[in-house]
Amino acid sequence: MEWLFGKRKTPQEMLKENKRMLDKSIRELDRERTQMENQEKKLIADIKKAAKANQMGSLKVMAKDLIRTRHSITKFYGLKSQLQGVSLRVQTLKSTQAMADAMKGVTKAMGTMNRQMNLPALQNIMREFERQNEKMEMSSEMMGDAVDDALEGEGEEEETEELVNQVLDEIGISLNTELVDAPSTLPAAPVSQPQIVAQPEAAAESIGIDNDLQARLDNLRRS
């Protein structure tokens, strides 16, 4: 009666109504099938009683009724399966319609956003961002150098030299004589055979210590 008042149902409403009708029909079929199954059990019990009482006429009639009941139950199972298939198809159509509506809304929103987006302005924004980013990096580097210069004291170099000389004095090495002018190799002196075996080991150990101290001193000077 909606067409008399100029009101039309939407596809979603029609699908929902049809789905409701199919579910109702499936429930009614289940109810009828349950009643027939109960009737089948009752007929089986009556047939057993008639057989015990040797009532062959009643037995044949109830046997035919039992066969018809079983056929009807089988048909109800078939009808239910068909209705469930139709209901599944309706549900699929409903989901497809919902997906189409969602895609329609998304497409509309994307079109609106694309129309509002100004590509030249976006390119100008990206160029300005790169420029400001480079400027910020340069400012950060300059600020870091200024902080390092401000924190570095005037007397740190002299204090470093004094600390190095103090460390070398504690271990008994002069910076100007033994460390700088130390020969790279030691001449072999003519000594007896036992001293020839021990002298290279002592010389190698002394050279290793001098090289280690020289490396430490170079690190302190570079810092």
Side-chain angles (χ1 to χ4, degrees), residues 12 36 65 80 82-83 93 129 136 155 175-176 182 188 196 200-201 205:
Q12 293 84 355
M36 287 189 174
D65 194 7
K80 179 182 178 182
Q82 293 176 358
L83 288 177
L93 290 174
F129 173 78
M136 183 184 66
L175 177 62
N176 296 324
I196 293 175
E201 295 180 357
E205 184 178 359

Side-chain angles (χ1 to χ4, degrees), residues 67-208:
I67 291 173
R68 295 192 188 99
T69 302
R70 287 179 175 176
H71 288 171
S72 298
I73 292 173
T74 304
K75 290 180 180 179
F76 275 115
Y77 275 115
L79 290 173
K80 179 182 178 182
S81 177
Q82 293 176 358
L83 288 177
Q84 286 178 341
V86 175
S87 178
L88 181 60
R89 182 65 60 85
V90 171
Q91 183 65 34
T92 303
L93 290 174
K94 185 178 178 181
S95 301
T96 304
Q97 182 65 33
M99 183 180 66
D101 293 340
M103 293 297 295
K104 182 179 179 181
V106 172
T107 303
K108 184 177 179 181
M110 290 176 64
T112 303
M113 292 178 63
N114 289 329
R115 286 191 298 270
Q116 293 178 355
M117 186 178 297
N118 189 351
L119 293 180
L122 182 60
Q123 292 176 355
N124 293 331
I125 292 173
M126 294 304 298
R127 285 195 294 268
E128 184 65 22
F129 173 78
E130 293 178 358
R131 188 182 301 110
Q132 295 298 330
N133 189 28
E134 293 178 358
K135 184 177 180 181
M136 183 184 66
E137 291 180 356
M138 293 177 61
S139 300
S140 299
E141 292 179 358
M142 293 176 62
M143 185 177 295
D145 295 339
V147 171
D148 292 338
D149 294 339
L151 294 178
E152 184 177 1
E154 296 180 354
E156 288 184 359
E157 187 68 25
E158 297 179 359
E159 294 178 0
T160 302
E161 294 293 338
E162 293 179 359
L163 180 60
V164 171
N165 293 329
Q166 182 180 358
V167 172
L168 295 177
D169 291 339
E170 291 179 357
I171 60 177
I173 296 177
S174 177
L175 177 62
N176 296 324
T177 58
E178 296 184 11
L179 184 59
V180 178
D181 299 332
S184 58
T185 58
L186 295 177
V191 292
S192 61
Q193 185 66 26
Q195 292 179 354
I196 293 175
V197 176
Q199 183 65 27
E201 295 180 357
E205 184 178 359
S206 177
I207 294 172

